[in-house]
Coordinates of all heavy atoms in Angstrom, one line a residue:
V1043 N -61.4 38.7 94.5 CA -60.4 39.8 94.5 C -60.2 40.3 93.1 O -60.1 41.5 92.9 CB -59.0 39.2 95.0 CG1 -57.9 40.1 94.7 CG2 -59.2 38.9 96.5
R1044 N -60.1 39.5 92.1 CA -60.0 39.9 90.7 C -61.2 40.7 90.3 O -61.0 41.8 89.6 CB -59.8 38.7 89.8 CG -59.5 39.2 88.3 CD -59.1 38.0 87.5 NE -60.4 37.3 87.2 CZ -60.5 36.4 86.2 NH1 -59.4 36.1 85.5 NH2 -61.6 35.7 86.0
A1045 N -62.4 40.3 90.6 CA -63.6 41.0 90.2 C -63.6 42.4 90.8 O -64.0 43.4 90.2 CB -64.8 40.2 90.5
A1046 N -63.3 42.5 92.1 CA -63.3 43.7 92.8 C -62.3 44.7 92.2 O -62.5 45.9 92.0 CB -63.0 43.5 94.3
R1047 N -61.1 44.2 91.9 CA -60.1 45.0 91.2 C -60.5 45.5 89.9 O -60.3 46.7 89.5 CB -58.8 44.2 91.1 CG -57.6 44.9 90.5 CD -57.2 46.1 91.3 NE -56.0 46.7 90.6 CZ -55.3 47.7 91.1 NH1 -55.7 48.2 92.2 NH2 -54.3 48.1 90.4
K1048 N -61.1 44.6 89.1 CA -61.6 45.1 87.8 C -62.7 46.1 87.9 O -62.7 47.1 87.2 CB -62.2 43.9 87.0 CG -61.1 43.0 86.4 CD -61.7 42.0 85.5 CE -60.7 41.2 84.8 NZ -60.5 41.4 83.4
A1049 N -63.6 46.0 88.9 CA -64.6 46.9 89.1 C -64.0 48.3 89.5 O -64.5 49.3 89.1 CB -65.6 46.5 90.2
D1050 N -63.0 48.3 90.4 CA -62.3 49.5 90.7 C -61.6 50.2 89.5 O -61.7 51.4 89.4 CB -61.2 49.2 91.8 CG -61.8 48.9 93.2 OD1 -63.0 49.1 93.4 OD2 -61.0 48.3 94.0
E1051 N -61.0 49.4 88.7 CA -60.4 49.9 87.5 C -61.4 50.6 86.5 O -61.2 51.6 86.0 CB -59.6 48.8 86.7 CG -58.3 48.4 87.4 CD -57.6 47.3 86.7 OE1 -58.2 46.7 85.7 OE2 -56.6 46.9 87.2
I1052 N -62.6 49.9 86.4 CA -63.6 50.5 85.6 C -64.2 51.7 86.2 O -64.3 52.7 85.5 CB -64.8 49.4 85.4 CG1 -64.3 48.3 84.5 CG2 -66.0 50.1 84.8 CD1 -65.2 47.1 84.4
H1053 N -64.4 51.7 87.5 CA -64.8 52.9 88.2 C -63.8 54.1 88.0 O -64.2 55.2 87.7 CB -65.1 52.6 89.6 CG -65.5 53.8 90.4 ND1 -66.7 54.4 90.3 CD2 -64.8 54.6 91.4 CE1 -66.8 55.5 91.1 NE2 -65.6 55.6 91.8
E1054 N -62.6 53.8 88.1 CA -61.5 54.8 88.0 C -61.5 55.4 86.6 O -61.4 56.6 86.3 CB -60.2 54.2 88.3 CG -59.0 55.2 88.3 CD -57.7 54.5 88.7 OE1 -57.7 53.9 89.8 OE2 -56.8 54.6 88.0
H1055 N -61.6 54.5 85.6 CA -61.6 54.9 84.2 C -62.9 55.8 83.9 O -62.7 56.8 83.2 CB -61.6 53.7 83.2 CG -61.6 54.0 81.8 ND1 -60.5 54.5 81.2 CD2 -62.6 53.9 80.9 CE1 -60.8 54.8 79.9 NE2 -62.1 54.4 79.7
V1056 N -64.0 55.4 84.4 CA -65.2 56.2 84.1 C -65.1 57.5 84.8 O -65.5 58.6 84.3 CB -66.5 55.4 84.6 CG1 -67.7 56.3 84.7 CG2 -66.7 54.2 83.7
S1057 N -64.6 57.6 86.0 CA -64.4 58.8 86.7 C -63.5 59.8 86.0 O -63.7 61.0 85.9 CB -63.9 58.6 88.1 OG -64.8 57.9 88.9
E1058 N -62.4 59.2 85.4 CA -61.5 60.0 84.7 C -62.1 60.6 83.4 O -62.0 61.8 83.1 CB -60.2 59.2 84.2 CG -59.3 58.9 85.4 CD -58.2 57.9 85.0 OE1 -58.1 57.5 83.8 OE2 -57.4 57.6 85.8
R1059 N -62.9 59.8 82.7 CA -63.6 60.2 81.5 C -64.6 61.3 81.9 O -64.8 62.3 81.1 CB -64.3 59.1 80.8 CG -63.4 58.0 80.3 CD -62.5 58.6 79.2 NE -63.3 59.2 78.1 CZ -63.2 58.8 76.9 NH1 -62.4 57.9 76.5 NH2 -64.0 59.4 76.0
L1060 N -65.4 61.1 83.0 CA -66.3 62.1 83.4 C -65.6 63.4 83.7 O -66.1 64.5 83.4 CB -67.2 61.6 84.6 CG -68.2 60.5 84.2 CD1 -68.8 60.0 85.5 CD2 -69.2 61.1 83.3
A1061 N -64.5 63.4 84.4 CA -63.7 64.6 84.7 C -63.3 65.3 83.5 O -63.3 66.5 83.4 CB -62.6 64.2 85.6
E1062 N -62.8 64.5 82.5 CA -62.4 65.1 81.2 C -63.5 65.8 80.5 O -63.4 66.9 80.0 CB -61.8 64.0 80.3 CG -60.5 63.5 80.7 CD -60.0 62.3 79.8 OE1 -60.7 62.0 78.9 OE2 -58.9 61.8 80.1
R1063 N -64.7 65.2 80.5 CA -65.9 65.8 79.9 C -66.3 67.0 80.6 O -66.7 68.0 80.0 CB -67.0 64.8 79.8 CG -66.8 63.7 78.8 CD -68.1 62.9 78.6 NE -67.8 61.9 77.6 CZ -68.7 61.0 77.3 NH1 -69.9 60.9 77.9 NH2 -68.4 60.1 76.4
E1064 N -66.2 67.0 81.9 CA -66.6 68.2 82.7 C -65.6 69.3 82.4 O -66.0 70.5 82.2 CB -66.6 67.9 84.2 CG -66.9 69.1 85.1 CD -68.3 69.6 84.8 OE1 -69.2 68.8 84.4 OE2 -68.6 70.8 85.2
Y1065 N -64.3 69.0 82.3 CA -63.3 70.0 82.0 C -63.5 70.6 80.6 O -63.5 71.8 80.4 CB -61.9 69.4 82.0 CG -60.8 70.4 81.8 CD1 -60.3 71.2 82.8 CD2 -60.3 70.5 80.5 CE1 -59.3 72.1 82.5 CE2 -59.3 71.5 80.2 CZ -58.8 72.3 81.2 OH -57.9 73.2 80.9
D1066 N -63.8 69.7 79.6 CA -64.1 70.1 78.2 C -65.3 71.0 78.2 O -65.4 72.0 77.4 CB -64.3 68.9 77.3 CG -63.0 68.2 77.0 OD1 -61.9 68.7 77.4 OD2 -63.1 67.0 76.5
R1067 N -66.3 70.7 79.0 CA -67.6 71.5 79.0 C -67.3 72.9 79.6 O -67.9 73.9 79.2 CB -68.6 70.7 79.8 CG -70.0 71.4 79.7 CD -71.1 70.6 80.5 NE -70.9 70.6 81.9 CZ -71.2 71.6 82.7 NH1 -71.6 72.7 82.2 NH2 -71.0 71.5 84.0
T1068 N -66.5 72.9 80.7 CA -66.3 74.2 81.4 C -65.2 75.0 80.7 O -65.0 76.2 81.0 CB -66.0 74.0 82.8 OG1 -64.8 73.2 83.0 CG2 -67.1 73.4 83.6
H1069 N -64.3 74.4 79.9 CA -63.2 75.1 79.2 C -63.2 74.8 77.7 O -62.3 74.2 77.2 CB -61.9 74.7 79.8 CG -61.7 75.0 81.2 ND1 -62.1 74.1 82.2 CD2 -61.2 76.0 81.9 CE1 -61.9 74.6 83.4 NE2 -61.3 75.8 83.2
P1070 N -64.3 75.2 77.0 CA -64.4 74.9 75.6 C -63.3 75.5 74.7 O -63.0 74.9 73.7 CB -65.8 75.4 75.2 CG -66.1 76.4 76.2 CD -65.4 76.1 77.5
D1071 N -62.8 76.6 75.1 CA -61.8 77.3 74.3 C -60.4 76.7 74.4 O -59.5 77.0 73.7 CB -61.7 78.8 74.7 CG -61.4 79.0 76.2 OD1 -61.9 78.1 77.0 OD2 -60.8 80.0 76.5

Side-chain angles (χ1 to χ4, degrees):
V1043 166
R1044 184 174 75 165
R1047 178 65 175 183
K1048 283 188 178 250
D1050 288 346
E1051 288 175 356
I1052 290 169
H1053 176 71
E1054 185 177 306
H1055 180 73
V1056 168
S1057 295
E1058 287 174 3
R1059 295 297 303 238
L1060 288 173
E1062 287 174 3
R1063 285 188 180 177
E1064 180 63 24
Y1065 181 85
D1066 289 346
R1067 190 179 65 76
T1068 59
H1069 299 87
D1071 55 328

